[in-house]
Amino acid sequence: MSDLFRDPASSTAHADSAVSVLSRRLILQGMGASALMAASGCTTASSGFDALNLDTTSTGSIRPMRPSISVDAQITSPDVMYAGLTDGAYAIPEVPYQKIKPQFRRQIVVDPTGEAPGTIVVHTKECLLYLVQPGGEAIRYGVGVGKSGFSWSGRANIQYGREWPTWTPPREMIERRPELVKWQNGQPGGLDNPLGARALYIFQNGQDTLYRIHGSPEWWSIGQSVSSGCVRLINQDIIDLYNRASKRNPVVVI
């Protein structure tokens, strides 16, 4: 039938239907384009699609939340951490923490190591030790490390620990410092003992490396390369680490 002979009402209905179909197609095409642009990280200027209340935010702009940091007076309050204390038969003196650089005081940080919880990680160049915690945190301690030529690195584990350990200088050390011959059979534990209040013994493949993580009465040496290869901590810090570590803790020294 010729358009000249169509019913005007019918023609209007057909026209409205065609416009409706075309509008739906345009909207669907627009939604698809918006989705593609969002997926590609693009952003769009304000358009007629704003009326649809579509979320066109690029997922690339959404950053993961930084892990929260715990608060613990035993780890985050210097006057508590470094107060004097009685440990067994020994009175450990207070440490003047104000004289220690803040980065070398015990603290909780976001774990930078990527190691499993329980792992002890020593960064010798930074003079820092990390005890990795669950949840993306680590307890960080300032340490003194070995002088050039005396350091050790590698992966190992803590074989065992000792409170107020006996220190026996290696033969090579006695040769360098003959005055230590008096301790060739061992220096009993005490406030003047170079191993301090605690020692953790590092073994690799079942063999003693002769390197230790231990305490020291020389708090001023923390943050320096001064030892004969061992990793030394403030006595209050080694007691804290000793209480948190256990036999067979993995150790990474880098």
Side-chain angles (χ1 to χ4, degrees):
M1 180 184 293
S2 169
D3 289 344
L4 294 174
F5 295 95
R6 287 182 179 170
D7 179 18
S10 175
S11 298
T12 301
H14 281 297
D16 290 346
S17 176
V19 169
S20 177
V21 170
L22 179 60
S23 297
R24 285 198 298 271
R25 287 178 179 174
L26 288 173
I27 290 172
L28 291 174
Q29 290 172 357
M31 290 174 67
S34 178
L36 287 172
M37 293 176 73
S40 66
C42 297
T43 57
T44 58
S46 177
S47 69
F49 296 116
D50 292 343
L52 300 176
N53 294 320
L54 299 178
D55 183 2
T56 58
T57 303
S58 167
T59 56
S61 67
I62 301 175
R63 298 181 180 276
M65 293 182 64
R66 175 177 174 172
S68 60
I69 299 298
S70 302
V71 176
D72 182 340
Q74 297 297 322
I75 305 173
T76 57
S77 180
D79 57 334
V80 174
M81 293 188 294
Y82 298 120
L85 70 149
T86 300
D87 185 75
Y90 304 101
I92 300 175
E94 176 184 2
V95 174
Y97 66 86
Q98 300 91 339
K99 298 181 180 180
I100 299 172
K101 292 182 179 179
Q103 67 264 34
F104 297 130
R105 301 173 193 165
R106 191 190 324 162
Q107 55 196 279
I108 300 173
V109 299
V110 174
D111 172 42
T113 71
E115 298 288 343
T119 305
I120 296 171
V121 182
V122 180
H123 283 262
T124 54
K125 290 184 179 179
E126 300 173 0
C127 290
L128 295 173
L129 181 151
Y130 298 87
L131 176 60
V132 181
Q133 302 292 292
E137 295 182 345
I139 303 175
R140 193 179 79 186
Y141 309 80
V143 298
V145 297
K147 295 176 288 187
S148 178
F150 291 90
S151 59
W152 174 87
S153 62
R155 285 183 174 266
N157 63 271
I158 300 299
Q159 187 76 6
Y160 57 88
R162 292 287 184 268
E163 299 184 11
W164 297 104
T166 297
W167 175 63
T168 304
R171 184 180 66 255
E172 296 81 3
M173 182 179 290
I174 294 175
E175 291 174 355
R176 295 194 308 270
R177 299 174 55 191
E179 71 276 14
L180 296 177
V181 68
K182 62 181 178 180
W183 303 124
Q184 62 183 344
N185 294 319
Q187 178 183 355
L191 292 173
D192 296 328
N193 189 297
L195 293 182
R198 304 285 189 275
L200 299 169
Y201 294 74
I202 300 175
F203 278 57
Q204 187 178 53
N205 300 322
Q207 300 296 316
D208 190 352
T209 64
L210 300 180
Y211 290 95
R212 319 287 185 234
I213 299 173
H214 63 81
S216 173
E218 299 175 344
W219 56 264
W220 56 88
S221 68
I222 301 306
Q224 302 180 47
S225 300
V226 293
S227 77
S228 294
C230 292
V231 177
R232 59 169 64 180
L233 289 79
I234 298 169
N235 271 330
Q236 282 86 337
D237 281 348
I238 191 61
I239 291 174
D240 182 84
L241 176 61
Y242 183 93
N243 290 340
R244 298 174 189 278
S246 61
K247 183 179 178 181
R248 306 300 295 180
N249 273 71
V251 177
V252 181
V253 180
I254 55 179

